[in-house]
Amino acid sequence: MTAIQGFELRAGTTTLAPVRKECPVLSPEDVLIRVAGCGVCHTDLGFIHDGVRTRHPLPLILGHEISGHVEDAGSRHRNLVGKAVVVPAVLPCGECALCRGGHPTICAAQIMPGNDRDGGFATHVVLPGTFLCVVPGAGSDPDAPLGSAAGLTLRHLAVVADAVSTAYQAVERAGLARGSLAVVVGLGGVGTFAAQVAAERGAVVVGLDVDPRRRAEAAKMGVGLALDPREVSGKELRSRVAAFAHGAGAPATGWTILECSGTPAGQQTAFGLLVHGATLMVVGFTLETVAVRLSNLMAFDARALGNWGCAPELYSAILERVLAGKIDIVSHAALKPLSSITEALEQVRAHRADRRIVLVPGREEVP
Ligand SMILES: [Zn+2]
Ligand SMILES: [Zn+2]
């Protein structure tokens, strides 16, 4: 019988503790996945440090950005055994009114690993098999090269589970048109991928970030103009962006503004960039409030939308683009041993990680 080794959050603690459990008997709907990689997300830090409650009572193994191999499966998913998969960060029920109405990521009956059940900061994870995204062309070696992107392995694809897919659905839902202007506010985590997805769709992309390292990297994400919103703001920012759009042949209207910073300042900046026919897509999260003149939406015939996660049915299209090298994740992901989880979480918390950290179970941890 397989033992699962991982790191769990216990009540009243702010570090994850190593744990070893027996693998449960699989229900017909469940599969056992040997984890290839699990990305570290700010949501995990929220559970550990900010008092955000996991839906499953503690102790719980965290981690919801998972790639791996299906090692065993209940009767309904025997066809998945041996397959390499990416696990959508939200596994919806597929049947309720929200699921049928195009909002599966907020399905009340959803399973999110590391929230509703033990997650991927472990050697193995047990999850429902229905919405797993099979990685085409992947063999049994998690370190084997995949697709046409240099250095890409199944381990890196963990990042697709949440960061890349959230960005993808946000751009998709905003209806970003080829040749139009996209402004990405905040080029960290999700923002780096939002910029790439927007550029891949043929948009002209402007990126705003206070971090000079990110602005220096922005061109590689398809960003044509990168600005520091602390240096250029208000009307001056609008006119700089408008001048750039004009020079790049993009219309002065119908901009798509993707707020990925999750900061009050970023949200103010994003709202201030509304033009006629614009779409403001809120992707980042903050508990803070901002004061805005909401009537600008009316005056500009603009819309403001939110995006939470990504529907499972979009994952294969995302994987296709990643495998074809159209969305680069290798240079935005750093593989680290699962045993270094405490240090990795601290790095992310202190904003010292310039790439998405993917934790990889080592040989010593795999029984
Ligand atoms: Zn996440
Ligand atoms: Zn549902």
Side-chain angles (χ1 to χ4, degrees):
M1 184 161 238
T2 308
I4 298 175
Q5 284 185 262
F7 290 86
E8 67 180 16
L9 180 62
R10 295 174 182 164
T13 64
T14 53
T15 51
L16 302 185
V19 64
R20 184 187 173 94
K21 339 182 156 180
E22 288 308 312
C23 173
V25 175
L26 297 178
S27 78
E29 282 75 33
D30 283 343
V31 301
L32 172 69
I33 299 164
R34 177 185 286 258
V35 176
C38 185
V40 176
C41 176
H42 280 275
T43 305
D44 299 309
L45 295 172
F47 293 139
I48 301 169
H49 295 285
D50 304 334
V52 180
R53 288 198 180 184
T54 52
R55 285 187 293 256
H56 186 285
L58 300 179
L60 187 72
I61 297 175
L62 302 183
H64 56 269
E65 272 196 4
I66 306 165
S67 61
H69 284 97
V70 176
E71 217 169 61
D72 195 5
S75 55
R76 278 192 54 197
H77 299 294
R78 296 302 302 169
N79 60 323
L80 286 174
V81 175
K83 297 267 177 20
V85 294
V86 170
V87 182
V90 168
L91 300 162
C93 81
E95 285 156 22
C96 69
L98 284 167
C99 280
R100 283 187 277 113
H103 296 279
T105 59
I106 50 171
C107 166
Q110 68 175 260
I111 303 288
M112 178 175 167
N115 189 0
D116 296 289
R117 289 214 201 163
D118 277 337
F121 295 150
T123 54
H124 299 79
V125 61
V126 174
L127 290 167
T130 303
F131 290 113
L132 302 185
C133 181
V134 173
V135 181
S140 58
D141 179 2
D143 293 304
L146 273 182
S148 55
L152 184 69
T153 70
L154 181 64
R155 301 198 194 276
H156 296 92
L157 293 186
V159 179
V160 172
D162 188 16
V164 181
S165 54
T166 295
Y168 186 88
Q169 178 171 290
V171 170
E172 181 82 21
R173 191 176 268 188
L176 179 66
R178 174 167 291 276
S180 69
L181 185 85
V183 183
V184 180
V185 182
L187 296 171
V190 174
T192 51
F193 300 115
Q196 289 196 60
V197 171
E200 202 268 324
R201 282 175 79 112
V204 173
V205 185
V206 172
L208 307 179
D209 203 294
V210 295
D211 186 336
R213 289 173 308 175
R214 289 181 181 160
R215 292 198 303 278
E217 295 282 307
K220 286 189 224 157
M221 304 169 206
V223 173
L225 173 69
L227 295 171
D228 181 348
R230 288 184 303 198
E231 272 172 16
V232 195
S233 60
K235 283 196 175 132
E236 195 198 343
L237 177 63
R238 266 173 81 104
S239 54
R240 285 280 293 276
V241 173
F244 175 74
H246 181 73
T253 56
W255 294 356
T256 299
I257 302 138
L258 297 141
E259 205 308 295
C260 300
S261 77
T263 65
Q267 291 182 343
Q268 287 280 5
T269 299
F271 198 84
L273 284 167
L274 285 177
V275 293
H276 286 94
T279 298
L280 168 62
M281 178 55 79
V282 179
V283 190
F285 179 79
T286 171
L287 283 169
E288 305 292 317
T289 57
V290 292
V292 295
R293 194 204 292 139
L294 208 52
S295 293
N296 284 8
L297 290 173
M298 174 269 177
F300 288 131
D301 197 25
R303 13 173 235 164
L305 306 166
N307 183 76
W308 172 265
C310 180
E313 65 259 31
L314 295 178
Y315 277 75
S316 55
I318 301 166
L319 262 188
E320 200 178 288
R321 284 163 174 79
V322 170
L323 292 172
K326 291 175 179 172
I327 300 172
D328 167 35
I329 60 175
V330 175
S331 36
H332 299 285
L335 305 186
K336 307 229 172 197
L338 175 58
S339 53
S340 70
I341 187 165
T342 305
E343 186 193 317
L345 288 164
E346 272 316 305
Q347 264 191 333
V348 175
R349 189 171 180 225
H351 299 281
R352 278 187 286 113
D354 53 353
R355 293 190 279 171
R356 193 83 166 175
I357 294 180
V358 175
L359 295 171
V360 171
R363 283 184 208 291
E364 70 283 4
E365 284 136 351
V366 181

